[in-house]
Amino acid sequence: MQRSDIRNIAIIAHVDHGKTTLVDSLLKQSGQFRDSQLQEACILDSNDLERERGITILAKNIALNYEGVKINIIDTPGHADFGGEVERVLSMADGALVLVDAFEGPRPQTRFVLSKALEQNLKPLVVINKIDRPDCRPDEVLSQVFDLLVELGASDEVLDFPYVYASGRSGFATHDPKDHSGDIRPLLDMIIQHVPPPTVSMDDPFQMMVTTLQWSKYVGRIATGRILSGKVNTGEKVVLMRADGSRVNSTIEQVEVFNNLGRAAVPQATAGDLVALVGLPDPDIGDTVAHPSITQALPRIKVDEPTISMSFTINSSPFAGKSGKFVTSRHLRDRLMRELQSNVALRVEETDVKECFRVSGRGLLHLSILIEEMRREGYELSVGKPEVIRKEIDGVMHEPFEILSIDVPTELVGGAMELITPRRGQLQDMTSNETGQSHLQFLIPARGLIGLRTRLLNATRGEAVINHRFDSYKPSEGELPGRANGVLISQLPGKSSAYALWKLQDRAEMFVNPGQDIYEGMIVGENSRDNDMVVNPVREKKLTNVRASGSDDAILLKPPRDMSLEIALEYIERDEYVEVTPAAIRLRKIGLTENERKRRPMLVG
């Protein structure tokens, strides 16, 4: 049977196409909230990192009622590095709201999430968003979405998709792109009419797959998923089927359904509902929760493999333990294992070195968000250079390749090409439009992307828009050019002096301010040449009794380069670490003393 009183839909799109802003409009116009509850923008971006960066990192569930129908909405991340979040929550939905920017059109992540939705047999509904932009081209973008679906092998039924034009920021949806009035109701009507109600089996025994985990200090892990068959009651006896095939008997202490911005406890939930179950003994994502009579677990969630790995180890610098609470390898291991429980696209391996772990993820942003979260929680650690994960296929070593797309002013195309072609980037497509913008698409090894974004933005005066997505594994290419410049390495510990930095800045770009604490082996700047140079950044000016009037030079210092976590991870080489603490991000050599570096020149993490 079908449950006509409920609709389950996921919102999927490329980053910055306006998913969370559109959800804001749905919430504000639903009439179910006080104004004080909806004061902020991007209401579902609830954690600090999401608000600071303006991106969605974790999938969120909300529910609103419209004309007697409960609509469960799943807001998903738009960045390719968080594709694991999208893959695991799509199984809870029956339809997908595909959001596309009315100017930019389909982007790499649009293709990725759309292909995943089609694999799950979800019905796509297309929303052409931001039609109030002065440079929008809604009809052309709609044609591009149709072409994309054809490329992905969509059926004739899917190609006859419903669509609507909208502006999430202005809060209206319309079937006429020239009409910018009205409210968001045409979009809600389209969801009710075209998203299929969940097909359920009420009489079969209870079955549910865990797709999301939350944690409460009061009740422990809370397992979220969609009930596939049967009913579940508070206090009911169930069995938890784990990945290793074991079966654990347990009792459901509380059943919660999604209601508005939160959850509400109910005595019973039935097939088709999205529920959160309290009381299960340490469930993991992909586990099956079922009636004790069920003997076969549901097929586990399949997530694409990681492509980038890096080493995480304890902070062994002289400043270790000065600002962090968690500094030992045991703390580091416990935190990484806890992350594995909810981050399905992450992999953690223990290495031959006791304090070192190999952590693999979808991309640099995926891993840097984890590092930033750990840093804010009070962890100290050192992180090695990101490296791609290679595979041996039919006796030949393969490496991951990505599709890189760049939008850049036409007059700056030459500078972009000069940076990409030495990194084995192969131009596949190049188009220009009447606004003076060019669109370039390359096939490039994933390792060629490491460190490319910063250089491209510098070369294009910050005007390049850069996106990439995983394509496939292909035979490994040759060596790629490394960092063009060497670094300045501190020879002595102490506080950096303005006099020493002033003498060094003619031949280098500095990373530190005067008066900053320095230790031996710390990287304090970038050399103007290609070799590393050991320097003394703590040297003070010698004072004498004889001073001639006007003989002192005025010390004028350039501002140091601001090294964010992502930029630092892209910058380092194999013999260097990024030292991450709650108070600072520093660069250092793995071998801190000059003798150690000479004795073991290939020391790597």
Side-chain angles (χ1 to χ4, degrees):
M1 61 172 286
Q2 287 189 321
R3 284 191 62 181
S4 58
D5 63 332
I6 196 166
R7 299 290 189 277
N8 298 320
I9 189 162
I11 301 185
I12 57 179
H14 187 79
V15 66
D16 283 340
H17 280 202
K19 298 179 303 303
T20 309
T21 306
L22 185 73
V23 173
D24 285 358
S25 291
L26 291 172
L27 293 171
K28 288 173 181 175
Q29 295 188 32
S30 66
Q32 299 174 45
F33 302 91
R34 299 187 307 274
D35 289 342
S36 59
Q37 290 178 278
L38 306 175
Q39 287 296 321
E40 300 173 327
C42 295
I43 296 156
L44 289 195
D45 286 348
S46 51
N47 74 38
D48 292 340
L49 275 176
E50 289 179 323
R51 291 201 171 280
E52 287 171 21
R53 294 168 182 255
I55 60 173
T56 302
I57 297 171
L58 299 172
K60 317 283 193 323
N61 296 46
I62 61 161
L64 53 89
N65 286 287
Y66 178 69
E67 296 187 351
V69 178
K70 182 178 182 180
I71 303 175
N72 286 311
I73 299 174
I74 308 165
D75 183 24
T76 64
H79 200 286
D81 283 19
F82 306 111
E85 286 285 309
V86 180
E87 289 165 346
R88 67 179 172 81
V89 298
L90 286 183
S91 61
M92 295 197 290
D94 297 296
L97 214 58
V98 183
L99 213 66
V100 185
D101 189 295
F103 169 71
E104 293 187 2
R107 281 290 184 258
Q109 182 68 358
T110 314
R111 171 186 287 268
F112 171 79
V113 293
L114 198 50
S115 65
K116 295 295 178 186
L118 294 178
E119 285 176 18
Q120 297 273 356
N121 295 317
L122 299 186
K123 169 108 175 159
L125 283 65
V126 175
V127 180
I128 308 298
N129 196 31
K130 303 186 184 180
I131 63 164
D132 51 352
R133 285 182 61 158
D135 52 0
C136 70
R137 45 192 186 100
D139 293 329
E140 189 179 337
V141 166
L142 187 64
S143 298
Q144 291 176 347
V145 175
F146 182 87
D147 294 341
L148 175 58
L149 281 164
V150 172
E151 284 180 42
L152 294 174
S155 65
D156 291 343
E157 183 185 356
V158 170
L159 290 175
D160 188 23
F161 55 84
Y163 60 90
V164 72
Y165 304 98
S167 169
R169 186 178 62 179
S170 301
F172 68 83
T174 176
H175 293 288
D176 180 4
K178 295 179 182 176
D179 179 14
H180 292 185
S181 61
D183 54 26
I184 209 74
R185 277 183 292 181
L187 173 57
L188 291 167
D189 291 334
M190 186 174 75
I191 292 173
I192 298 293
Q193 183 179 351
H194 293 286
V195 175
T199 301
V200 298
S201 178
M202 293 290 191
D203 299 329
D204 288 347
F206 165 66
Q207 263 189 316
M208 184 193 97
M209 176 181 284
V210 179
T211 52
T212 305
L213 285 178
Q214 292 175 307
W215 188 82
S216 163
K217 60 183 178 181
Y218 302 108
V219 297
R221 288 192 212 173
I222 302 170
T224 300
R226 173 179 166 179
I227 301 177
L228 298 180
S229 62
K231 304 172 184 177
V232 63
N233 301 293
T234 300
E236 186 172 333
K237 302 289 185 184
V238 295
V239 64
L240 181 69
M241 305 181 194
R242 301 189 186 278
D244 59 4
S246 62
R247 296 165 59 91
V248 181
N249 294 316
S250 60
T251 303
I252 302 296
E253 295 178 2
Q254 193 168 328
V255 180
E256 297 177 341
V257 296
F258 289 92
N259 182 40
N260 295 343
L261 292 176
R263 299 191 303 266
V266 293
Q268 183 188 76
T270 56
D273 282 328
L274 305 188
V275 297
L277 303 180
V278 177
L280 297 172
D282 292 334
D284 285 322
I285 288 175
D287 288 354
T288 299
V289 186
H291 188 271
S293 64
I294 297 290
T295 57
Q296 188 70 33
L298 295 167
R300 296 187 75 83
I301 298 170
K302 291 183 179 177
V303 176
D304 288 348
E305 291 295 313
T307 57
I308 295 283
S309 71
M310 57 177 73
S311 58
F312 283 38
T313 187
I314 59 170
N315 182 16
S316 57
S317 84
F319 294 167
K322 286 193 173 182
S323 61
K325 295 185 291 184
F326 308 109
V327 296
T328 66
S329 60
R330 180 178 61 81
H331 288 140
L332 184 59
R333 184 184 187 282
D334 290 348
R335 178 61 179 83
L336 291 174
M337 294 304 159
R338 192 164 76 245
E339 185 69 21
L340 280 179
Q341 294 167 4
S342 58
N343 198 334
V344 292
L346 197 74
R347 303 285 184 274
V348 178
E349 305 166 57
E350 300 198 29
T351 64
D352 298 336
V353 182
K354 185 180 176 183
E355 300 89 5
C356 186
F357 303 87
R358 200 77 188 162
V359 182
S360 307
R362 284 286 183 83
L364 204 56
L365 184 63
H366 183 204
L367 295 175
S368 67
I369 289 290
L370 169 60
I371 297 168
E372 183 65 32
E373 287 176 346
M374 292 173 65
R375 174 187 175 216
R376 295 183 181 204
E377 291 167 12
Y379 286 83
E380 289 193 10
L381 65 155
S382 296
V383 186
K385 179 180 173 64
E387 295 181 348
V388 299
I389 299 172
R390 291 181 167 87
K391 288 182 180 178
E392 189 173 327
I393 303 174
D394 297 330
V396 179
M397 195 60 71
H398 286 57
E399 65 175 321
F401 275 68
E402 306 225 357
I403 297 292
L404 170 69
S405 64
I406 302 171
D407 291 282
V408 67
T410 303
E411 67 271 15
L412 300 176
V413 166
M417 298 278 283
E418 286 177 9
L419 283 170
I420 296 169
T421 47
R423 293 168 173 259
R424 311 274 177 175
Q426 304 164 26
L427 183 65
Q428 292 188 318
D429 186 31
M430 180 175 175
T431 55
S432 300
N433 59 29
E434 62 277 3
T435 62
Q437 290 284 116
S438 290
H439 175 76
L440 312 177
Q441 184 169 300
F442 296 86
L443 181 68
I444 185 170
R447 60 196 165 106
L449 293 173
I450 298 173
L452 179 63
R453 179 179 293 270
T454 305
R455 292 180 175 89
L456 265 176
L457 290 174
N458 290 338
T460 59
R461 303 193 294 271
E463 294 195 44
V465 178
I466 306 155
N467 295 295
H468 59 88
R469 65 174 175 86
F470 173 73
D471 180 63
S472 60
Y473 271 84
K474 297 182 183 295
S476 294
E477 296 276 357
E479 288 299 314
L480 300 184
R483 188 174 63 205
N485 298 76
V487 292
L488 304 187
I489 307 161
S490 176
Q491 183 181 27
L492 296 170
K495 284 189 180 293
S496 57
S497 73
Y499 177 75
L501 299 183
W502 176 59
K503 289 294 186 183
L504 290 171
Q505 72 179 2
D506 289 340
R507 68 185 88 176
E509 185 176 5
M510 306 311 297
F511 297 160
V512 295
N513 282 304
Q516 190 170 325
D517 287 322
I518 305 288
Y519 57 80
E520 182 181 4
M522 181 172 157
I523 295 172
V524 296
E526 179 180 88
N527 194 3
S528 58
R529 300 184 179 180
D530 61 359
N531 62 304
D532 293 347
M533 185 164 63
V534 179
V535 297
N536 182 0
V538 302
R539 178 170 60 120
E540 297 282 357
K541 184 175 181 181
K542 298 295 184 187
L543 301 179
T544 63
N545 290 328
V546 181
R547 307 291 290 277
S549 175
S551 63
D552 282 349
D553 293 314
I555 294 178
L556 297 175
L557 290 176
K558 301 175 194 169
R561 186 191 296 183
D562 182 24
M563 298 291 276
S564 68
L565 179 59
E566 280 91 357
I567 293 173
L569 291 172
E570 289 184 339
Y571 184 81
I572 59 173
E573 290 294 341
R574 285 176 58 83
D575 63 339
E576 296 163 1
Y577 276 152
V578 178
E579 178 191 346
V580 182
T581 73
I585 294 170
R586 307 182 186 94
L587 305 186
R588 52 162 283 192
K589 288 290 183 181
I590 295 178
L592 292 178
T593 66
E594 193 169 1
N595 285 338
E596 195 176 356
R597 292 192 295 274
K598 286 179 179 177
R599 192 166 63 248
R600 301 176 64 189
M602 294 306 292
L603 187 67
V604 295

